[in-house]
Every structure is written in C-alpha cells, then in structure tokens.
Amino acid sequence: MDIEKEVKRARRGNRQAFGRLIKEYENMLYRISFSILSSDHDCADAIQEAILKAFDGIGRLREPKYFKTWLTRIVMNESYQVIRRKQKVVPLERMVESGEEDKAYANLELEEVVEQLPEDLRLVIILFYFEDLPLKEMAKVLECPLGTVKTRLFRARTELEKLLRQDEGGKES
Amino acid sequence: MSDLDERIRSAKENPAPLPKSVSSRIDQTLADLPDRKRKSKWPFSVVAAAVLLFIGLIGSTYLSPVMAKSLSTIPVVGSLFAKVGDIGQQNAGLHGLTSPLHASIETPKASLAFEGVVYDGNRLSLSYVVSRNSEGKWTKKEIGSLLDGLALQVNGKRLGNYSLSERGERMNKDEYAGIITMVPGRSLPDHFQLKVIVHKLDDESGKWTAQFPVKKVAGDSFLLHQAKTEGKRTIQLNKVTFGATSTDIAFQLKEPKSLWDLENKGKANLSYELYDDHGHLLKSFSSGGGGSSRNGIMTSDEVAQFEPLNTLPKYLVFQPVLYVYGNKPAIKVKKPIDGKLPIPLNQGKDGHVTITKLNKNKKQITITARVNGKDPYIQAGSIWLTDGNGNNRSAAKSAKRLKSDGDLFQLTFNSVDSQKTWYVTTVKMKPPKVLKGLRFKIAIH
C-alpha cells in the first residue's frame, strides 16, 4: 500500500482510503493501547476514540509521511484518557481478580515477556522494534529528549534479554 | 542477528490475530464514520430534519408485543431508576424526574425496550429492559457486549467524547433490566434527539437504531472563581452544578506531568471528597477529564461527580485526597459467618467495620456493616465474601449507605449457596492523604 497516497486521499475526505489506513495499522493501534491499558475492553474504547479523532483531524495533517507517528500519538493519548475517565474508585476485590479474556494477545511468548516490562520500557520496545519508528519520531511521540529514548531503549533491551533468559531457564528446570 | 532480534522478527512476521472484540469495534467505527462534508445546503437539512422527526414520532409511538411484554414487568415509569439505579438515579426516579420512553429495538431472537431517560446537565441515564424470545439467562458478558456495540448520536451527530457505564440486574430468567449512564465530554443542548445505535444484541450482529427526544431537567449551576495551590498542584474551581442525578464540580487541575503519569500508571490516585453543610460526606460517583502537557506541566479540565442533593446547601467543602499504592501485598482480614454477631473486622489505619446484621436466603446473603473510619465508602466497598476454597464473591452492587444511620452500609451477595461456610473478608488499608492546602469552602448564593 502506498501510505502517502492513501493519506492524501483520506485528507480529501475519502472514507475508504481512511479505512484502509486504519486496517493497515490496526495491529499497531492494538499493540500500543494494550501496552498501556492491558484490557481488551479498554483498548477497544481507546482505539475507537483514536479512529474518530484521527478522522476528524486528518485534514489538518500537513505531512503524509508522518501519519504513523501522528496516529501513534493519538492512540497513546486516548489510552491515557481511558485511564483518566474510568471510575477512580476501584473496588478492592477487582484488583485481586484476573481478567481471563484480556489475555487474548498474550498467547505469544515474546509478547508475554514484553508485558512484564515497566510501561515506559514496554512502549519503547513496541515503538522501536515492532513499529519501526525512528528514534527522533519516538522522542516526539513520547515527549522526551532523544537521549532519554536511547537510554530507555538500552535499558528495555537489556531487561528484555534478562527476562527471556529467566523464562528459558524456568522452562528447562 | 541476536536471538532477541530473531524472536522480534518472527513475532512481527507472525502477529497474533486481533481479539474479536477489538477488531469488530474497529470495523463498526469505520462503518459509522460521519460524513466530512463541511457545508450542507439548507433544503437537504430541512428534509433530513423532517425525516428524522417522522422517524422519531414513529419510534416513540410504536409498541410491539415483545416490548409490551418487557414493559409489563415494570409497574410505574421511573421505577427501574429506583430499582437498579445508583443513588442519584434512584433520586430522579423517586422524584418523577425521568421521562417515559416507548421505543424499542428488535431482532428475531431478542428485544431491547427503552423505559425512561433523564438528562440533568451532568449525566444522561437511560433505563432499559432486554428480553429473549426463548428462555435463557443473560450473562454479564452478554450485557457487556451490548454496551461495547452501542453508539449514541445527539441531533444526528456523533458524540465526540463521552464515557459509558452500565448497571442492572436480572428481572427473571430471560429479562435483564439496566441503566446506561453516559457522561458527555461537553454539555448537551436543552432539547435534543437522542439516537441509540446498537451493533450487537444477544448473539446477533447488525445495526439497529432507536430515536427519541430528550429534554434537560434543569438544575442549578453556579460559576466559581476560586483557585488554590499546594506544592506543585493548583486547582481552579469553575462550576458547581446541582443536577437531579448528581452534583458536579468542574475544575482545572495543573500538576507536573510526572505526578500525572504516576496516577496513570496506577501507583497513585488523586480522588476528591465533597461534604455538604451538615458535614455529610457525599458518595463519589467518578472523576476524570482530559488535557495536555506543556513544559512538563499537565493542565486538565476535570469533573468530579457526587451524589445529588435535594435542597441547595449553604455551602460545600471540596477537597482532593491522594491514595498512594505500595508494592506490598494487602493484608487480608477474614472471619467466618457462623451465626454469631457482631463480627468486627480491623481495617488497619483506615478504621474498622462491624457486621451487625446478616440475612440469608437460599442463594443470597445480605450484610449490614457499621463503618468506623475516615473513608467510609472505600471501607464499605472493601468487604467481600470468601468461600472455604478461597474463592471471592463481590457484592452485586456497590455498598448502599442507609438513610436511617449514615454509618451503616448494606451489601448484597447474589448466587451464593448460603448453606456453605462463608467468610466475610476485608483488608488493612491506609487512609488517603488529605491535600488540605487545596481544600475549598464553596459558598452557595
């Protein structure tokens, strides 16, 4: 798919082109929102709002080549909004129960290990390795200096390798 | 290429399929995208409005046999609000502030009948009964998927930002009655047409709509111009609204993004308390909002919602409280239900609760607890039942504060075999830190 051409069509109000772009990036939308929310129900809410916000705002996106970065930022914002808008008084018993169906994505071993990382490290792994976002774009999306992104990425990779080794060690024993 | 790189490459090339609930929501959202035409010519608008009005009228008078069956179980309009609503919706139902509806959505297998609606400027509450043509118990998951596939439009336009929640209970084997609560991100007009779009009912997917007029039940609003700063946080109060179903405080919160992030990560929770002029702590429904960060400072417009008041108070006291969560596992406290009363339970520094009354039916246990402490709603909400195997059972609804005695709370546990041994369980907790520098006394003139 020629992303830039599709973005230009979508900017002119072509709903089909916008739909094709969203389908192209739906796995990315889910990966990012799940790394923040860890619940399929909440992810669906955040992604829905992100799609609607993106549809409203795509006419104002100047550079089609930054569509992916722009969409990443929107879904991250909406995921944080879901957290903020949720009822703040969480019954304590809900904390001890686990959501079975929220783990649909966690069937892959690597994703399971990535999920164990703290959120800031999880996000950099997903953005850099899974979504191939350049470091400079990541700094924009994460609203932090480039150096911080590099440090986080180094820490995340080290931590991930450690967790994978532990995981394998556990299986062998 | 290292082992890690190889595994990442493999995971990227073989992505797991999206969960069905997420992919179907994406598809629905794309199917429902609004037109982005900036200008519409007036003849089309007039025709469209006339058609919508006609559909609304048809929708409001049509009463099918299935729907009639559903509504036959509801004796008085507004009674669903009183029966299954939260304390604010009960208030609206009991005071006759809800408007009756006669609109339904039907599929060959099920029907969804809307019973009543109330919009008080703060929240829109919509009561409904969902029925199956065949007998079958409605599960929480099925009701959850109804809400997942639900979209609302006001005067034909999609609502940009809103939150939905649902509460209800089974009426009989094949009927479930509930209330959908919608908190809009912006205020709605005084009169509007509400369109409900349902994408999933029972196990059928499709697109069904119902439309009806909604009139705002006027409440009292007071603009506020008070601001306070404590440490790195600033709160500026904007408005208090006394609605039929809630009391809302709208304010702007400024805090360092690092603090805001701590809350998002679940390590802390900035919550809010509201007291009336008798010193009575009002039940908090929710709080939330949104904003943006600049130079490390997060500025967000927030609304905190509390139970409604039936008469205007002389003043209110509003204060933020901060919960900080540690990494240590909670210390549980449990005592058997063995017929002996009272049952005291220590909740640590937060205080204690005492079970003073127990009612057992065959499949239901209702307990009454006297709460002693600084955080009564959280304390009462932190009581649950545990069976001999350690399985937890939470209350069917949030703890209900009894009007006769403000320290007494009632909790009902459904589908419990009351012949088995059950334990009443709680945890030791720390009270939240009151941010006294951000406490406001709001005079109501």
Side-chain angles (χ1 to χ4, degrees), chain B residues 313-346:
Chain B
K314 288 178 187 158
Y315 64 88
L316 294 167
V317 174
F318 177 72
Q319 64 184 22
V321 292
L322 185 67
Y323 293 86
V324 179
Y325 304 120
N327 294 323
K328 290 180 186 169
I331 301 169
K332 288 184 188 172
V333 176
K334 72 175 185 179
K335 298 257 177 85
I337 297 176
D338 53 8
K340 290 176 194 162
L341 287 171
I343 306 171
L345 295 160
N346 179 3

Side-chain angles (χ1 to χ4, degrees), chain A residues 32-93:
Chain A
I32 291 170
S33 66
F34 194 83
S35 73
I36 296 168
L37 295 168
S38 304
S39 145
D40 286 348
H41 180 87
D42 291 345
C43 286
D45 285 349
I47 293 170
Q48 177 172 13
E49 279 306 314
I51 293 172
L52 295 168
K53 286 256 164 71
F55 187 68
D56 280 345
I58 194 162
R60 296 187 293 276
L61 178 66
R62 287 183 190 169
E63 287 288 340
K65 66 180 174 182
Y66 292 131
F67 176 77
K68 187 175 176 180
T69 310
W70 176 74
L71 191 62
T72 301
R73 188 66 233 168
I74 292 175
V75 76
M76 279 175 61
N77 279 342
E78 290 308 318
S79 301
Y80 288 127
Q81 291 288 15
V82 166
I83 295 174
R84 294 285 285 176
R85 290 189 71 84
K86 276 177 78 172
Q87 183 123 352
K88 285 197 167 183
V89 181
V90 181
L92 215 69
E93 56 270 32

Side-chain angles (χ1 to χ4, degrees), chain B residues 57-358:
Chain B
L57 287 171
I58 293 289
S60 65
T61 52
Y62 172 66
L63 193 69
S64 78
V66 179
M67 182 184 148
K69 180 196 160 205
S70 300
L71 294 180
S72 67
T73 55
I74 307 160
V76 185
V77 168
S79 64
L80 265 190
F81 283 90
K83 187 171 166 57
V84 299
D86 61 31
I87 192 170
Q89 290 155 341
Q90 287 172 19
N91 183 65
L94 291 170
H95 289 86
L97 300 171
T98 61
S99 303
L101 294 175
H102 301 289
S104 71
I105 283 167
E106 297 200 27
T107 70
K109 290 184 182 173
S111 85
L112 172 63
F114 296 104
E115 182 251 9
V117 66
V118 59
Y119 171 59
D120 64 354
N122 296 336
R123 307 192 293 170
L124 185 140
S125 307
L126 183 62
S127 64
Y128 70 92
V129 177
V130 62
S131 333
R132 274 208 178 101
N133 294 344
S134 59
E135 283 198 355
K137 184 179 161 185
W138 288 96
T139 63
K140 273 189 179 179
K141 197 175 173 184
E142 283 167 331
I143 298 300
S145 70
L146 168 73
L147 206 63
D148 272 349
L150 193 127
L152 299 175
Q153 289 185 358
V154 167
N155 290 336
K157 287 183 182 167
R158 181 185 66 79
L159 274 173
N161 198 6
Y162 62 91
S163 67
L164 281 181
S165 59
E166 195 276 342
R167 56 185 292 141
E169 58 187 64
R170 221 151 35 93
M171 305 280 279
N172 53 49
K173 274 184 184 172
D174 55 357
E175 283 187 334
Y176 175 96
I179 295 182
I180 294 165
T181 305
M182 186 266 283
V183 181
R186 59 177 173 80
S187 59
L188 304 177
D190 289 352
H191 296 82
F192 58 88
Q193 288 288 327
L194 181 71
K195 187 175 187 180
V196 183
I197 305 165
V198 174
H199 291 280
K200 194 164 185 191
L201 191 56
D202 204 350
D203 58 352
E204 285 184 280
S205 294
K207 187 175 177 181
W208 302 279
T209 61
Q211 183 165 308
F212 33 81
V214 178
K215 186 181 174 189
K216 181 172 153 185
V217 178
D220 290 303
S221 284
F222 299 87
L223 293 176
L224 306 171
H225 303 283
Q226 292 173 263
K228 286 189 176 180
T229 299
E230 184 188 73
K232 292 175 177 176
R233 281 197 182 89
T234 297
I235 286 181
Q236 181 180 321
L237 299 185
N238 294 328
K239 194 164 79 168
V240 55
T241 306
F242 297 94
T245 67
S246 70
T247 305
D248 283 22
I249 306 282
F251 58 97
Q252 189 181 69
L253 170 69
K254 282 186 185 179
E255 62 181 350
K257 190 162 183 300
S258 53
L259 294 178
W260 195 81
D261 285 342
L262 274 182
E263 291 172 50
N264 281 334
K265 287 171 185 170
K267 291 178 181 168
N269 182 13
L270 188 62
S271 192
Y272 302 92
E273 290 182 344
L274 188 66
Y275 293 83
D276 68 10
D277 50 0
H278 300 290
H280 175 73
L281 175 65
L282 304 184
K283 182 175 170 59
S284 167
F285 290 152
S286 68
S287 63
S292 57
S293 70
R294 180 172 285 187
N295 301 326
I297 299 292
M298 186 74 197
T299 303
S300 59
D301 292 314
E302 305 266 327
V303 176
Q305 294 193 316
F306 303 88
E307 67 177 275
L309 291 166
N310 289 325
T311 53
L312 285 182
K314 288 178 187 158
Y315 64 88
L316 294 167
V317 174
F318 177 72
Q319 64 184 22
V321 292
L322 185 67
Y323 293 86
V324 179
Y325 304 120
N327 294 323
K328 290 180 186 169
I331 301 169
K332 288 184 188 172
V333 176
K334 72 175 185 179
K335 298 257 177 85
I337 297 176
D338 53 8
K340 290 176 194 162
L341 287 171
I343 306 171
L345 295 160
N346 179 3
Q347 293 185 315
K349 289 180 183 170
D350 232 4
H352 60 269
V353 293
T354 308
I355 311 302
T356 58
K357 205 173 163 187
L358 265 166

Side-chain angles (χ1 to χ4, degrees), chain A residues 2-18:
Chain A
D2 187 330
I3 299 291
E4 290 191 27
K5 272 188 185 169
E6 292 287 36
V7 173
K8 284 175 187 168
R9 287 190 195 112
R11 275 197 319 201
R12 290 194 294 268
N14 186 323
R15 288 160 46 137
Q16 284 74 30
F18 180 79

